[in-house]
Amino acid sequence: AGGCCCCLAAALPLLLLLLPAGCPVRAQNDTEPIVLEGKCLVVCDSSPSADGAITSSLGISVRSGSAKVAFSATRSTNHEPSEMSNRTMTIYFDQVLVNIGNHFDLASSIFVAPRKGIYSFSFHVVKVYNRQTIQVSLMQNGYPVISAFAGDQDVTREAASNGVLLHMEREDKVHLKLERGNLMGGWKYSTFSGFLVFPL
Ligand SMILES: *[C@@H]1O[C@H](CO)[C@@H](O)[C@H](O)[C@H]1NC(C)=O
Ligand SMILES: *[C@@H]1O[C@H](CO)[C@@H](O)[C@H](O)[C@H]1NC(C)=O
């Protein structure tokens, strides 16, 4: 409890960031924002749980209903080009496996980030009945950030891609290893990304 004064002082910038004017706070059922009038207080919890909370390096824990954001979508059927997909060239998904926070819109197959932060994305696009080379790009605000290729006619450019969620213990390490063959000719367009989705 002695550290709480420092904690409160240090928390103010964090609090301003998280709880703008009017301090909207998520209700228990996580659908209805409650607007609280007046000043916000930080309550220090000596045994903070990771559940739904953002913990700063100072150990300040602020509860937030939107701390958990995750989605995973898949196609359960082949996609035949439609008027809409021919126009937008979006890769549409028809099944959602996970949509915590509901920030992935299945109809438009667009994810909208609910808050500033670091997000992890991976994709694995499978084409069938199609001999044409494809290039799939991850678009951020309409601009391509990363690309992946499949079905290059003269096979000068191929990609191996996959994505996974892993349970990691402290000091566990991951890296990419070429188990077979060689990748002579360059590593352009390769990516390797990881992100702590939430602590356990
Ligand atoms: C959530 O709470 C609001 C306001 O209390 C209520 O109108 C709504 O029906 C609740 N939703 C669920 C899913 O319980
Ligand atoms: C979509 O584009 C493909 C390839 O150009 C074409 O064969 C197909 O007829 C188009 N479909 C529609 C519904 O416009």
Side-chain angles (χ1 to χ4, degrees):
C4 220
C5 298
C6 328
C7 156
L8 184 58
L12 287 174
L14 181 70
L15 200 63
L16 290 172
L17 193 73
L18 293 167
L19 304 172
C23 304
V25 178
R26 289 277 159 193
Q28 277 193 332
N29 71 11
D30 205 26
T31 57
E32 194 74 13
I34 298 170
V35 177
L36 301 175
E37 305 276 320
K39 292 181 179 177
C40 295
L41 292 177
V42 172
V43 177
C44 294
D45 181 355
S46 59
S47 56
S49 107
D51 187 36
I54 298 166
T55 304
S56 79
S57 55
L58 295 169
I60 300 160
S61 181
V62 180
R63 297 220 156 254
S64 167
S66 58
K68 288 182 179 174
V69 179
F71 76 94
S72 190
T74 182
R75 275 215 71 86
S76 63
T77 62
N78 284 327
H79 177 75
E80 298 301 334
S82 65
E83 205 178 302
M84 181 167 71
S85 63
N86 273 357
R87 182 167 40 81
T88 64
M89 297 304 274
T90 296
I91 292 166
Y92 290 99
F93 294 87
D94 62 1
Q95 194 177 15
V96 85
L97 303 179
V98 165
N99 202 2
I100 309 299
N102 220 30
H103 302 295
F104 180 78
D105 177 57
L106 191 61
S108 64
S109 291
I110 292 172
F111 170 78
V112 179
R115 62 197 299 158
K116 185 175 174 177
I118 305 299
Y119 293 82
S120 175
F121 301 98
S122 61
F123 64 83
H124 189 72
V125 174
V126 179
K127 72 186 178 79
V128 285
Y129 310 131
N130 179 353
R131 293 187 187 281
Q132 287 185 340
T133 304
I134 61 165
Q135 173 175 359
V136 179
S137 295
L138 178 76
M139 308 295 284
Q140 183 178 13
N141 300 326
Y143 293 96
V145 180
I146 59 170
S147 283
F149 305 86
D152 211 331
Q153 295 302 293
D154 59 3
V155 199
T156 58
R157 196 166 46 191
E158 287 282 354
S161 65
N162 215 334
V164 72
L165 296 178
L166 291 178
H167 187 153
M168 302 277 284
E169 298 295 337
R170 185 177 141 82
E171 300 195 356
D172 280 0
K173 297 175 181 69
V174 294
H175 77 289
L176 298 178
K177 179 190 172 190
L178 188 63
E179 291 266 29
R180 192 195 295 189
N182 68 67
L183 284 170
M184 283 168 57
W187 303 83
K188 190 177 177 183
Y189 301 117
S190 298
T191 59
F192 176 41
S193 310
F195 178 59
L196 169 67
V197 179
F198 38 76
L200 292 173

